[in-house]
Amino acid sequence: MRTAMANRLTPYMFMAPAIVIMALALMYPLGYMIWGSFRDWNPSQTIGEAEFVGLKNYITLWGDPNFHESLGVTLRFAFFVVSIEMVLGVGLALLLDRDIRGISVLRTMFILPMMIAPVVVGLMWRYMYHPTVGTFNRFLDGIGLPTVDWLGQHALMSIIIADIWQWTPFIFILSLAALQSLPRSALEAARIDGATAWQQVIHIKLPLMMPVLIVTGLLRLIDAFKVLEVILVMTEGGPGLSTEILALRISRTATEFRELGVAAAMSNYLLILLLLLTVAMFAFNRWQETRAARVQALVEEDD
Amino acid sequence: MIKGLKSTAVGLTTMAFMTGAAFANPYAEYEGTTLIVNFPAHPHYNAVMQILPEFTKQTGIEVEVDQLPYLKMRERQTLELAQDEGEYDLIAYVVFSKADYVYADQLENLAKYFMNPKLSNPAYDAGDLIDGYVYNIGFAGGDKGYLQGSTGSLFGIPYGSETSVLGYRKDIFEKHGLEVPETYDEMLEIACQIPELEPGMGGLSSRAASGHHAAHAFLLHLNTLGGAIFDDEWNPVVNNAAGVQAAEALKSIVDCGPEGATNFGFGEALGSFLNGDTAMFLDTTVVAGQIDDPSKSQVVGKVGWAMHPMGVKRASQTGGFGIGIPANAENKEAAFLLMQWLTSKEGDKLVAMAGGNPSRFSTHADADVNAKFPHMATFGEALQYADPDWRPIIPVWGKINADLGTTLSKVLTEDLDIQEALDGVAERTKAVMEDAGYYTWN
């Protein structure tokens, strides 16, 4: 009897260390943040001293126009950067997936922007966007075109461009890896059947790459929702609130307004949003796989 | 008997000697102590670093400095001060932190140190410290809760404090026969004349970027033009006629300023003046050192200084840093001795000569200091008008300030109507104040 019990418990005992570490490393900080979001907590207090206010922080945020504006900016920013980066990154991968001389050097150069520290990227772009001495305006001026108020009138567009510059390589490198691991037999078969290069891309390469692309897109999306340093350095969220994405607002709420509880509540809203997106994307992926399996089954039945 | 007398005499002599020694060196008890202090990376504190070895030489007290960028410093202090036993014996803090730290009971009240005859130097001459600075950065608990007054007490001493002055390009003003502006109307008129007289040059470089930069620039004008954020009952009055006038002044300055002025933070505004892209600079006194430094400035020797122009009254800002002793410090008495030495007449002059911002009237008038830094006399004159109450120093100010700054940025960049913008700020400020309990007694 005792042996049977021990046998049943053995797997759990093996799992126990991992569970304990997970609970400590993952769940505790998360729980701390959730607990903090129910409190009127200022950084001069310990969490225990802070007054419990229930859902007040969440309700206040729900009606706060500045929070809405930040959320809007975040959604716009994430939508534009991820969609443009996906198109450019996958496009570049499709173009460079071939044997050209010096391709490895070219590939390394493409991924350089990703390796630069975000603060440096922010500073670099800020100076390139400088109204008088910046690279872009000097160039425009040089060819006789009117200069552009990059970080003033077009601040959101400017930070989107900088982000695209930095993160397109990430999508490029993952797409390239996906492309190179595609089954050559399918492509060969298509070529024998007379498929054009464009048809191969649309009907074979992209559908086969889809699972990787979904994960890549998701990773970029999560990252785009959390980007902070580059924007902080470039615009500090301005002018007005036009580039104040949620991560920046959270940081300002915690440090400038000294409202840790509200900042925690805002982080939780962001977390919920990201969870929803992740679930939605995986559900979509699953749905596509099932559909593909169904089509496959139908094809087999027909045979 | 004789033996007894002898030993008494020896004892008395020893005591007399010891007392004498104590008078000669009040620092003896603390010799060998190592103080850990937290200072910002700031021109004034860079100068302080040069004079600390002199303190150690005179007193035998060692000082270890943790010098951090200003925002990092505040973050670090927030964490440190909440501990039971803190790492720091002395901290430099910005004015905003006064409200937070005093409210959370994290700074020592300095009364008990100044009362202690063993610690307090009778030659300190506290009356010589610049009143505006002391009230702004040191006092709390008096008028409005955050100033001096019958119920107020002292929690810190100004050190690295600043006020506002007008820097102007002497060469440009001479070339076009312009008079140095005395009033706001004159200043605004000249600011918008400059781009016409000197194509490519901006009138006045001002901070204007979204957030605290725009708010700071606005407040600089608001006080002088007779406005305020609150009336005496904490009702927001920022949207009254003076508020609108201050915002109009800011807009006009930015519109007539150098290209890209709407995104200028402090660094860009100063940079533009240092590069010779603007003719005037209305901001803190802390920049004087950089303007005269040929490695940083292209306008060395071309800049004159004048007082912050008059609106309905003469008033300049007060800001910068003060030093205080954390309530959880380990070596509080030795920290007080360092604080007293740094802000004494001797210490203040030393730091001024090393390029720091003096905190005493006498240092501003000192012949040696003026020989090395000729602008010091004008700064000293401006300090007579340094207003400790040019902006509220209350715990919720950070939030109000950010809202004010982002809204003003919309006025500057998106042409939001000024009255509408300030009405919005007033309404939201009212809600923040209500929430923080400022109308409990109404």
Side-chain angles (χ1 to χ4, degrees), chain B residues 135-153:
Chain B
Y135 299 153
N136 180 249
I137 215 148
F139 267 87
D143 298 346
K144 301 185 181 179
Y146 59 84
L147 288 171
Q148 79 284 6
S150 307
T151 51
S153 42

Side-chain angles (χ1 to χ4, degrees), chain A residues 262-279:
Chain A
V262 181
M266 226 184 281
S267 306
N268 286 336
Y269 271 134
L270 186 61
L271 186 69
I272 293 169
L273 187 68
L274 284 173
L275 273 178
L276 286 178
L277 276 170
T278 314
V279 170

Side-chain angles (χ1 to χ4, degrees), chain A residues 43-44 46 56 66 69 126 131-132 137 147 149 151-153 236-242 252 255-259, chain B residues 74-75 78 82 100-101 104 106 210-213 259-260 262-263 268 398-399 402-403 406 409-410 413-414 435:
Chain A
S44 298
T46 58
K56 181 170 169 255
N66 289 341
E69 197 167 340
R126 185 164 133 191
T132 46
N137 275 0
T147 55
D149 186 6
L151 294 177
Q153 301 295 329
E236 281 185 65
L241 291 174
S242 63
R252 289 183 75 189
T255 55
E256 253 180 71
F257 315 161
R258 297 171 66 84
E259 292 174 340
Chain B
R74 194 171 140 90
E75 259 179 63
T78 301
D100 299 321
Y101 298 166
Q106 292 171 332
S210 189
H212 69 266
H213 299 291
E259 212 175 322
T262 47
N263 296 318
E268 284 93 352
K399 195 169 186 182
D403 180 38
T406 43
S409 172
K410 287 181 187 170
T413 57
E414 296 166 19
D435 201 34

Side-chain angles (χ1 to χ4, degrees), chain B residues 46 56 84 131 200 203 275 300 306-307 324 423:
Chain B
N46 295 341
T56 305
D84 288 338
D131 329 18
N275 284 339
V300 178
M307 288 210 276
D423 287 347

